[in-house]
Each structure stands twice: as C-alpha cells, then as structure tokens.
Amino acid sequence: MIARVLCMALLAVVVSASGATAQGRKPAKPKTAYEICIEKARMVDRAMAICGNEETARRDRQVNAVYKQLLAKSEEPAKSFLVKSQRDYLAFRESRCDYFAAEWGGTEAYLLASDCSSRMTEERLKELNEFWEIVRDREPAR
C-alpha cells in the first residue's frame, strides 16, 4: 500500500509537470523512459519495481561515468577517499534498501527496495556531479 501511494504521488507530480500549452504553460517535455515504463506497468507492483530497477541501472551508468572522470582527475590522498566513499555508498545503498524488502515483504517490498535504490543513486549522482564541478578544469592526475 505504501509503495502504491509513493508511486501514485510520483506519477501525479509527473503528470502535473507535463502541463498543457493551451493554458499558457510551457510545452510538455518528452516523457522519460521511466515515466513511460511506469505508465505501462499499470500499478502492478512487480512491473513498477522493474521500471525502478531499470532507472537505477541508467543512473548507475551515469554515476560510474562521473566516478571514472573524478578518478582520472584526482590525486592521492583524495583518490583513495573517493574510492572508499564509493564502496561505502554502494554497501550502504544495498543494506538500506534490503531493509525495505525484509521489513515489508511481499510484492510491495520489491517496489520499495527499487524506489530506495533509485532515489539513493540519484542522490549519489548529484553529489558526484558537485565534486566534478570542483575538479573538472584540473589537469588529469599523473
């Protein structure tokens, strides 16, 4: 039930953000792959969880790309801390999101764990992008 409420809230935000041009709003931007997937899932928990897992995988690829850029620009000791922080983040994400699956059980658990992973990955991506803004103009590390 909680998972469905979360998904409905997300879908409501997406729909309201897509606004109509006839009412003087900006043209609707194209739907993301995640939004299309959620619509096709038709409120089926497992199908929505698959959408979330696919979104997490897309974000993971983005995280990995920025992480590799940061590694290339970083020198010791910062490089070691970056590697450790990434390992710690991955372990924390896994254990935190596994908690949802263990606590709630059933098909809702998949959706909650998937949503947890997706949200945490988005937060990590924002954080790594902030780090990138700081170091991007540096010469690559030797």
Side-chain angles (χ1 to χ4, degrees):
M1 183 64 177
I2 294 169
R4 288 180 189 222
V5 170
L6 288 173
C7 186
M8 289 302 293
L10 175 63
L11 207 47
V13 168
V14 168
V15 170
S16 68
S18 66
T21 57
Q23 297 174 355
R25 297 185 203 163
K26 293 181 183 178
K29 65 180 184 173
K31 292 181 182 178
T32 65
Y34 176 73
E35 293 165 345
I36 292 168
C37 185
I38 287 293
E39 285 178 3
K40 289 180 181 178
R42 300 191 189 278
M43 298 306 295
V44 174
D45 290 345
R46 284 189 188 263
M48 291 188 303
I50 289 169
C51 297
N53 291 340
E54 291 170 354
E55 182 66 11
T56 298
R58 279 189 288 277
R59 289 177 179 171
D60 272 338
R61 287 189 293 276
Q62 294 172 323
V63 164
N64 288 333
V66 176
Y67 175 72
K68 286 177 184 177
Q69 290 174 319
L70 284 167
L71 281 176
K73 294 275 189 168
S74 297
E75 295 179 5
E76 294 299 339
K79 190 173 202 168
S80 293
F81 287 119
L82 176 62
V83 170
K84 182 180 181 332
S85 74
Q86 186 67 6
R87 287 181 184 150
D88 291 347
Y89 150 74
L90 290 169
F92 178 62
R93 181 183 77 174
E94 183 177 340
S95 63
R96 181 174 187 251
C97 297
D98 283 351
Y99 165 76
F100 287 107
E103 183 65 35
W104 277 272
T107 58
E108 258 185 11
Y110 296 108
L111 186 56
L112 290 168
S114 173
D115 180 61
C116 172
S117 290
S118 184
R119 284 185 291 111
M120 288 188 71
T121 305
E122 179 64 23
E123 289 170 17
R124 182 62 174 172
L125 179 59
K126 287 178 186 176
E127 182 177 74
L128 291 178
N129 278 324
E130 288 172 4
F131 294 159
W132 178 246
E133 290 298 316
I134 295 168
V135 303
R136 74 173 174 206
D137 294 329
R138 286 187 195 162
E139 293 295 319
R142 295 173 238 195

